[in-house]
Amino acid sequence: MLPIPYPDELVYSVIARYHLRTNNESPKWTLREIYGTENVIPTIDLPSHLEELAMRSELQGMSADDWLDQHTFFPYYAPFLPQDRTIQLRALMKSSNGSGIHALVGITASTIDRLKQLRFCPSCYDEDIQRYGEPYWHRIHQLPGVFLCPEHQMILHEITEPLADRHGLTMLPISRIMFRSVPIIESLPDKFIEHLLGIADDNRVLVQSSKPQSLFDMREVIIPKLFEQGYVTVARRIRQQKIEEQLVRFYSPELLDLLESNPKDRDYSWLALSTRKARWAIHPLRQLLLIRFLYGSYSDFLGRSSIQDSPFANGPWPCLNRAADHFEELVVEQCVVNRCSDTGRPVGTFMCSCGFSYSRRGPDCSEEDKFRRGRIKSYGPLWTARLRKCMQDGLSYRAAAKVLGVDTNTVIKYAQSDMVEPVEQTPKIKSSIARMKRTSFGQKARKIRVDWEKRDLELSWMVESACKSVLSESNFKPIRITIALIGKHVDRLSWLEKHRDKLPVTMSILTQYLESVSQFQKRRVRWATEQLAGEWPIKRWKIEKLAGLRSGYSLEVSDEIDRCISQVSFLNISTGSEGTSSWQH
């Protein structure tokens, strides 16, 4: 029977202690007793065969999921993976076929090296012997980026002698005279120690979280904080240069080099990918560095409230159209956030499917703020129909205003427009309306005023739909998204060319989709690579020809071609029939 695992002990360590207790001459004998086969390589971080281990260990209350969550690196990597791959990773670690585990997680393709030697804290070593009668390998000490013990604030050590081979088991001997060890790093500057202690503690909080969050799409999680700290423009574009400069200044280039996480390539660095729409899995260490930079620590990040998570809390939001049956019900799914040019505060525009839209200045400070309406930007057909009915029923302007939740002047304005046929009013009201319509002698009739706010909101929906339609046509050769292309798609090119200053919501959405020449060429390269997915090895000239690239394209496009070729080659060699559609970094 396997020994009972200690707190935060690796599965590898439990097997090593079992091997020592049974006094087996060969590690293969131990593996055969534990797994039923000797064709298993003991893995430190993400072991497989956990179902077999749980069944043969005969430890009551210890299921395969318990071993996986409490004694492996699974809770370290899982929060930063897509949901489907998290489920697949759990299944692979339980199964007897773990050949594709590291490729699935992205460790094999990562630029952060895997752990080569097991580490231990000298103070933990002494305490474990006093408390349990023997030492063991702690999971927290083996995680990437952990150079100091978060409990004792000491530099970790690694054993130099004796060492086990690839198929063996490295023990942590019970006496100091039985082995030699050295610190994993000779010395650390004082300015590094505080950061490294914080990173170690963040790692500990991450793996011990009982309800881990889904952090694959990191941009959606941190965008409110980026807004708050001034890293996002009014058009919702990330100030990549500014955030990179501040992050490097916060940690220092030397510390980031030590952690193999210096964002040197601004256009395609891990930092740029973390703040864009999620397409690739980013290494947890780097995501934790970004979280610590923005929030102070991972604990503070987890403790943020829903109101801090977004300037207007989390949707859905209420529709404040009094003419609708769903008045004050949480049915609004879309909110566009901009910055007030005068105060710098966030301004949210909430658009309901009934056509009613309104805005208010944030951030929200309580749940009641959800029902606070600032400015009405569009009334929609339901409100208009209700106004028409009020007029047909003979209600006064003041009574109609009370029913519709607006002031009397608004009712007068829309009742006398083309939207609603005018109705008979009292003589006093009729005379006042006549005075409003009367023009002085020789004065030209007033021009009809265009409601640009309403036009802006309606056009923004059309533009976003057109952009998504262009991007979704994966079976056809990609088309570069430009203002001219989208303008022709929605048949509003003249508006987009001549009246951009009157269409802030539309332009903020459109700028998220516009592409530079290099961005478009890189998208064509990725599309061409997908079209050639059945071929291997993929030739560079085939990608260039299929993507329509002419000689003289930029260096970043060339790097994208190299990356695509190397990724496809890696997937074919490492995973065989197993495939993954995500690029790992």
Side-chain angles (χ1 to χ4, degrees):
M1 179 185 294
L2 278 177
I4 297 174
Y6 296 127
D8 197 48
E9 183 178 14
L10 289 170
V11 170
Y12 178 96
S13 176
V14 178
I15 297 172
R17 289 195 295 117
Y18 175 82
H19 178 68
L20 190 64
R21 291 183 181 184
T22 56
N23 200 27
N24 286 332
E25 292 184 5
S26 171
K28 291 187 176 182
W29 295 2
T30 299
L31 297 176
R32 191 184 303 117
E33 292 173 6
I34 294 174
Y35 294 112
T37 176
E38 61 186 41
N39 297 323
V40 179
I41 297 176
T43 306
I44 295 172
D45 51 2
L46 299 169
S48 59
H49 296 75
L50 293 182
E51 284 282 12
E52 191 70 25
L53 174 74
M55 182 180 68
R56 289 175 171 268
S57 65
E58 299 180 1
L59 294 176
Q60 291 187 356
M62 284 293 293
S63 65
D65 288 311
D66 293 329
W67 284 102
L68 186 144
D69 293 326
Q70 300 171 24
H71 303 285
T72 74
F73 283 20
F74 176 84
Y76 179 75
Y77 289 104
F80 302 97
L81 295 174
Q83 185 64 29
D84 58 335
R85 288 169 61 191
T86 301
I87 296 172
Q88 188 178 356
L89 174 62
R90 184 179 288 272
L92 280 176
M93 291 179 67
K94 289 182 180 181
S95 73
S96 58
N97 179 17
S99 58
I101 286 178
H102 291 88
L104 177 70
V105 176
I107 300 174
T108 312
S110 176
T111 55
I112 295 181
D113 291 337
R114 290 178 63 188
L115 183 69
K116 296 178 181 178
Q117 297 290 342
L118 286 162
R119 302 168 175 180
F120 71 96
C121 166
S123 293
C124 289
Y125 175 91
D126 295 334
E127 286 186 1
D128 291 342
I129 293 177
Q130 293 177 3
R131 186 176 304 170
Y132 305 111
E134 58 183 340
Y136 63 93
W137 298 114
H138 290 245
R139 174 176 58 174
I140 182 62
H141 297 154
Q142 324 307 326
L143 294 175
V146 177
F147 289 81
L148 301 169
C149 174
E151 183 70 26
H152 300 99
Q153 303 182 5
M154 294 184 61
I155 297 178
L156 300 178
H157 283 227
E158 60 185 13
I159 293 178
T160 57
E161 186 182 355
L163 295 176
D165 59 22
R166 179 168 177 263
H167 296 278
L169 294 167
T170 300
M171 314 295 174
L172 188 54
I174 197 170
S175 173
R176 287 291 185 92
I177 63 175
M178 300 174 66
F179 66 97
R180 297 179 182 177
S181 67
V182 295
I184 60 174
I185 190 168
E186 289 299 327
S187 61
L188 286 171
D190 292 339
K191 62 180 181 180
F192 284 11
I193 293 177
E194 182 179 356
H195 280 305
L196 290 175
L197 283 173
I199 293 168
D201 191 61
D202 288 346
N203 276 271
R204 177 169 59 178
V205 174
L206 174 63
V207 297
Q208 292 179 355
S209 297
S210 57
K211 295 181 179 180
Q213 297 191 9
S214 177
L215 301 174
F216 172 66
D217 197 352
M218 180 63 77
R219 185 182 190 276
E220 293 303 314
V221 177
I222 65 173
I223 196 71
K225 197 68 175 180
L226 295 176
F227 258 120
E228 179 185 321
Q229 298 187 6
Y231 294 119
V232 184
T233 67
V234 174
R236 292 178 64 85
R237 296 185 71 88
I238 306 295
R239 293 188 171 99
Q240 296 290 352
Q241 181 176 354
K242 181 178 179 180
I243 192 174
E244 178 183 322
E245 290 173 353
Q246 294 299 322
L247 183 137
V248 172
R249 184 178 301 173
F250 179 77
Y251 287 110
S252 81
E254 295 79 14
L255 178 58
L256 291 173
D257 287 337
L258 176 65
L259 299 172
E260 303 173 281
S261 300
N262 200 331
K264 298 176 181 178
D265 181 3
R266 184 174 302 144
D267 293 331
Y268 210 74
S269 68
W270 67 264
L271 181 59
L273 294 176
S274 295
T275 53
R276 292 174 182 163
K277 184 177 179 181
R279 291 189 176 91
W280 303 282
I282 311 298
H283 197 284
L285 172 60
R286 293 169 173 173
Q287 299 284 42
L288 290 174
L289 288 174
L290 179 57
I291 289 173
R292 186 167 191 81
F293 166 67
L294 292 175
Y295 293 88
S297 70
Y298 188 69
S299 297
D300 292 340
F301 168 74
L302 294 178
R304 72 198 191 285
S305 67
S306 60
I307 292 177
Q308 292 173 328
D309 192 40
S310 167
F312 303 98
N314 298 320
W317 300 271
C319 176
L320 302 182
N321 182 5
R322 284 187 177 273
D325 294 335
H326 54 261
F327 174 61
E328 290 193 338
E329 292 183 11
L330 303 179
V331 295
V332 177
E333 299 288 345
Q334 185 169 5
C335 172
V336 176
V337 180
N338 293 301
R339 284 273 167 183
C340 177
S341 57
D342 295 329
T343 64
R345 291 169 59 188
V347 177
T349 300
F350 305 86
M351 295 166 280
C352 183
S353 58
C354 70
F356 187 87
S357 64
Y358 62 95
S359 65
R360 69 168 178 272
R361 191 173 294 171
D364 288 353
C365 298
S366 65
E367 280 295 314
E368 289 72 23
D369 282 348
K370 274 189 174 184
F371 300 92
R372 178 171 52 86
R373 188 188 71 191
R375 183 179 180 183
I376 298 176
K377 310 196 81 171
S378 176
Y379 290 96
L382 279 180
W383 188 92
T384 303
R386 186 69 178 273
L387 172 59
R388 182 180 294 109
K389 189 175 187 307
C390 289
M391 295 296 97
Q392 291 171 352
D393 291 344
L395 294 180
S396 67
Y397 288 144
R398 182 173 296 179
K402 186 174 182 180
V403 171
L404 297 170
V406 296
D407 59 38
T408 305
N409 290 331
T410 300
V411 172
I412 295 174
K413 172 184 174 182
Y414 284 96
Q416 299 306 316
S417 69
D418 293 337
M419 297 170 60
V420 181
E421 296 179 3
V423 296
E424 289 294 323
Q425 304 291 335
T426 62
K428 185 176 180 180
I429 294 178
K430 287 172 63 176
S431 62
S432 81
I433 294 171
R435 284 196 301 271
M436 292 169 61
K437 290 186 173 182
R438 191 180 302 127
T439 57
S440 61
F441 178 76
Q443 185 180 8
K444 294 183 179 179
R446 296 171 62 185
K447 294 183 179 179
I448 299 175
R449 183 180 177 184
V450 177
D451 189 346
W452 280 104
E453 292 178 349
K454 177 182 177 183
R455 181 175 289 184
D456 185 18
L457 289 171
E458 293 174 348
L459 184 58
S460 67
W461 287 77
M462 298 166 62
V463 164
E464 185 168 23
S465 177
C467 291
K468 290 181 178 179
S469 176
V470 172
L471 291 175
S472 65
E473 295 175 350
S474 58
N475 295 327
F476 302 96
K477 196 169 186 177
I479 304 174
R480 182 184 173 189
I481 297 179
T482 61
I483 291 179
L485 174 70
I486 300 303
K488 292 176 182 177
H489 262 263
V490 300
D491 196 23
R492 296 292 186 274
L493 179 58
S494 61
W495 293 3
L496 296 176
E497 288 182 339
K498 299 177 182 178
H499 302 291
R500 298 184 190 180
D501 57 327
K502 298 178 181 178
L503 304 168
V505 177
T506 299
M507 295 309 300
S508 69
I509 291 176
L510 184 55
T511 51
Q512 298 178 39
Y513 292 92
L514 295 179
E515 297 176 300
S516 65
V517 173
S518 294
Q519 288 172 333
F520 173 54
Q521 287 177 338
K522 290 197 290 185
R523 184 159 67 91
R524 281 194 296 178
V525 166
R526 291 191 288 269
W527 172 83
T529 305
E530 292 177 358
Q531 301 303 307
L532 298 171
E535 299 185 19
W536 187 73
I538 293 180
K539 301 295 184 182
R540 185 185 186 90
W541 67 267
K542 286 190 176 183
I543 294 180
E544 292 174 340
K545 181 178 180 181
L546 192 56
L549 299 177
R550 297 181 180 180
S551 59
Y553 51 81
S554 65
L555 180 61
E556 60 179 314
V557 177
S558 178
D559 292 341
E560 179 70 8
I561 296 175
D562 293 336
R563 190 184 65 83
C564 290
I565 292 175
S566 63
Q567 184 64 30
V568 171
S569 300
F570 159 72
L571 291 175
N572 277 278
I573 295 172
S574 299
T575 63
S577 60
E578 282 187 5
T580 176
S581 60
S582 297
W583 303 95
Q584 305 297 331
H585 292 268

